Amino acid sequence: MARITLEDLERLGEEPAAAGGDGVDSEDDQEEQGRLFAHWEAVASTHRVSLPRDMAGPIAQMARHNQAREPVPYVSLSQHGKCEEAAYEERRYPAGKWACVTKGEPMYEQSISMSFMKLMRYICKENSVGCYLGMTVPVLNEIHLTKDETELEREVVTAYYLPGEFQQNPPVPMDPEIHITERAPLRVITRVFYGMTTEETILREINLFWELLGSTDTVLRETYIVASYENPSIPQRRNEIWFICRAE
């Protein structure tokens, strides 16, 4: 899925509404699907991402189901406030099955866009059960810093949590680049930020979080997670930086 900048969407507002129910597309449905695709294609081009024509169907289907999103389960361990707001939160996520794609494109936005296009196809139909699986949030992007901690490594792992009904028996992806992985329980310290996610904004948010958290050796310094909760068409979309706690 292409990433959309704030500048794009301050003018465009929300993306066009998706067509109606499933089944055989009417002429109006096809026209609406075409408008959706053109919208995403224009935005994708600003991030040097080519949007294949076969993404028109998954884009329309995801837009139709945009309000039905299952949260990834977790337990809140503690919240730390600052000025009456939660500055950061410690959480524990249970073990679970995730569909993962790894990319190493020149730009962070390119890697996550190309990975999520693959996951969109898997979610919508390109799976062994041949049906829409359902969207879960957040989608995770695991990143690594260079040794001097000034840049992101190119390789990014994008992960989609399998909905509860598919956790025991995950549908098999048709795309060999998608791997179903059972991830171990994870304890993280999280902080919310809003807007677009680029290498520059991510590095800034990591540095701000370290300033807030202070010196500690309880979390990893080389690996982080960027959690995305909302459709990229939302200008002030919610994201989180996750600091990964070391095993106890």
Side-chain angles (χ1 to χ4, degrees), residues 22-193:
D22 297 324
V24 178
D25 289 342
S26 67
E27 187 175 331
D28 287 345
D29 290 343
Q30 291 175 353
E31 184 178 344
E32 190 61 45
Q33 183 170 296
R35 282 197 293 267
L36 268 172
F37 181 82
H39 171 75
W40 285 101
E41 185 176 43
V43 174
S45 66
T46 67
H47 297 290
R48 303 177 191 175
V49 174
S50 176
L51 194 64
R53 188 69 208 179
D54 66 1
M55 286 302 299
I59 287 170
Q61 193 169 13
M62 294 286 280
R64 275 199 298 274
H65 295 281
N66 190 45
Q67 300 304 315
R69 300 182 299 173
E70 178 182 327
V72 177
Y74 71 89
V75 174
S76 178
L77 301 176
S78 62
Q79 292 187 352
H80 302 264
K82 188 173 185 179
C83 300
E84 299 182 355
E85 294 184 5
Y88 57 93
E89 180 180 11
E90 185 174 352
R91 302 177 190 155
R92 182 170 55 241
Y93 286 83
K97 294 184 175 68
W98 298 71
C100 302
V101 180
T102 302
K103 287 288 182 184
E105 302 300 321
M107 296 171 60
Y108 169 82
E109 303 98 301
Q110 292 174 323
S111 291
I112 62 174
S113 295
M114 293 178 181
S115 292
F116 195 66
M117 282 193 285
K118 287 179 172 289
L119 291 172
M120 283 178 68
R121 293 188 184 100
Y122 170 66
I123 292 166
C124 289
K125 196 172 182 180
E126 293 185 13
N127 55 68
S128 57
V129 295
C131 68
Y132 181 76
L133 303 181
M135 189 61 201
T136 60
V137 291
V139 172
L140 305 185
N141 297 291
E142 185 177 298
I143 58 174
H144 303 274
L145 298 191
T146 54
K147 288 185 178 180
D148 60 6
E149 300 182 0
T150 61
E151 294 180 314
L152 302 185
E153 296 281 3
R154 284 195 177 182
E155 187 172 280
V156 181
V157 179
T158 299
Y160 153 76
Y161 182 80
L162 272 297
E165 65 178 300
F166 298 114
Q167 277 291 311
Q168 294 303 313
N169 189 22
V172 178
M174 294 183 179
D175 187 334
E177 289 191 35
I178 299 176
H179 301 281
I180 305 299
T181 303
E182 173 125 24
R183 301 194 121 192
L186 185 68
R187 190 162 59 92
V188 295
I189 303 174
T190 75
R191 183 171 185 266
V192 175
F193 70 99

